[in-house]
Amino acid sequence: MSESPLPADWDGGDAIEELIHAAAISRPLDEVVHLVTLLEQSPNGLTMAASVLRVAAVTRSVDDVTRLVEELGPPNHAVDHMDDAIRSAAEQRPIPEVSRLVLLLHRPSHDPHSGAQAVQAAATTRSVEDLVQLIGRLGDDQHAEEEASRTASVPLTEKTDTTSPPAPSAPPAKLFPDTGRSHNTAPLVWLRRVAGVLLLLCAAAHFPTALADAPALGLAASFAVVAVCAAVGIALCVAESPAPAVLSTLVAGALTIAHLVEGRVDSQTLLYVLRPEGVPSPLPALSAAVAALAALVVVAATVARLRAAANRHGGVPR
């Protein structure tokens, strides 16, 4: 083996970190691959090789990152460094770039493990808001790829001899296979509908009935609470997007917290909103708590469906 390119007492100083950053960003991709390969051959360079990959995964173009995964992934290189780089990209890059990275890594030319790592990192480290955006963006990007594939196949179909049917073209690789799609979608649809109905019941439980002696601010706040609960409940029943589930969780959760602290807050407006006359006292608090739990179950089921699809496709290690 050739002599180590690094000193034995290397301590990872700022100058070396700046050198790593500049090389990972500015050098041609082939030279970055060669640099990482040489560093991995040195016992003192393993940490630096991992740093080069992380910087490149976050700063290089998405196409460059997929080429690095192909060139420096298993079986010729250790899987740990590349997994770390993929996780960094999925955690730090903007949502549109993460969506494109996930789709590219799920194409047949790549190891399914790499695509599964990207999905796992995005599903477990991004915020719930980012996850909702990523789910929508992945659906749009995958639909656009399918449309582009069908459009590209039209000229080939027109040139085919009419006496023999054209050979079917292979569909593009899907991020989430259709196997079991109907079995996974139907329960989620019913969960959304049940949670939506519970939000509507929560709105009804907080509807003000005593209007004559009601404080002006309390009456306005009551109608606002009822309107918001009803709106997110209806959206949860009819919409397919996960966004209403997230919003309903926030709304019902905030209302549940208000019920928990109502005894510690001296506010006539809050009491008027949370204890409408003519409604048994436990019913508003109970309806808010049940609705919040149901909405949270919908969000959890959406995330679980995403992870289950990733496991079926690539086998995420546990």
Side-chain angles (χ1 to χ4, degrees):
M1 181 179 295
S2 61
E3 184 179 355
S4 170
L6 298 176
D9 58 350
W10 171 71
D11 61 357
D14 292 340
I16 296 182
E17 292 297 329
E18 292 177 5
L19 181 63
I20 292 173
H21 194 275
I25 294 175
S26 306
R27 305 285 296 209
L29 191 64
D30 292 339
E31 295 184 6
V32 174
V33 172
H34 188 50
L35 173 63
V36 172
T37 302
L38 291 178
L39 290 173
E40 287 181 341
Q41 294 174 359
S42 169
N44 298 324
L46 295 178
T47 302
M48 187 181 290
S51 298
V52 172
L53 285 175
R54 281 195 301 270
V55 173
V58 175
T59 58
R60 308 279 303 208
S61 68
V62 175
D63 291 332
D64 282 355
V65 176
T66 56
R67 284 189 57 196
L68 283 175
V69 173
E70 186 174 355
E71 294 285 342
L72 296 174
N76 296 327
H77 297 265
V79 70
D80 293 341
H81 289 171
M82 188 50 66
D83 284 354
D84 188 26
I86 293 173
R87 284 193 296 269
S88 297
E91 293 171 9
Q92 301 179 37
R93 298 190 77 110
I95 293 297
E97 296 181 5
V98 175
S99 173
R100 175 168 169 75
L101 178 64
V102 169
L103 290 177
L104 289 177
L105 292 181
H106 276 80
R107 288 181 177 175
S109 59
H110 291 283
D111 183 5
H113 174 80
S114 301
Q117 278 294 327
V119 171
Q120 176 78 357
T124 56
T125 61
R126 305 294 294 232
S127 65
V128 175
E129 291 78 8
D130 283 355
L131 185 58
V132 171
Q133 295 181 33
L134 181 57
I135 292 172
R137 184 63 185 237
L138 281 171
D140 294 341
D141 289 349
Q142 186 168 318
H143 179 71
E145 282 193 356
E146 294 173 355
E147 289 293 331
S149 177
R150 283 194 291 267
T151 302
S153 65
V154 169
L156 296 177
T157 305
E158 292 176 350
K159 295 178 182 179
T160 305
D161 186 4
T162 56
T163 60
S164 60
S169 58
K174 291 188 176 182
L175 172 61
F176 305 132
D178 291 335
T179 305
R181 180 180 176 88
S182 59
H183 298 289
N184 291 336
T185 303
L188 190 56
V189 170
W190 282 107
L191 278 176
R192 287 200 301 264
R193 291 175 181 174
V194 170
V197 171
L198 291 174
L199 259 296
L200 293 175
L201 293 177
C202 180
H206 289 82
F207 190 85
T209 56
L211 306 181
D213 299 329
L217 184 58
L219 189 60
S222 293
F223 280 121
V225 169
V226 171
V228 171
C229 289
V232 296
I234 294 173
L236 198 56
C237 288
V238 301
E240 296 183 359
S241 170
V246 177
L247 292 176
S248 60
T249 303
L250 297 176
V251 170
L255 198 55
T256 302
I257 294 174
H259 277 286
L260 293 176
V261 303
E262 63 173 315
R264 303 177 184 178
V265 178
D266 186 13
S267 173
Q268 294 299 322
T269 299
L270 183 62
L271 291 177
Y272 182 82
V273 172
L274 301 179
R275 298 181 184 179
E277 293 186 12
V279 180
S281 58
L283 185 58
L286 182 61
S287 65
V290 173
L293 180 60
L296 187 60
V297 169
V298 174
V299 174
T302 302
V303 176
R305 182 185 171 197
L306 176 66
R307 297 187 62 181
N311 289 337
R312 287 196 306 271
H313 185 84
V316 177
R318 297 186 180 183

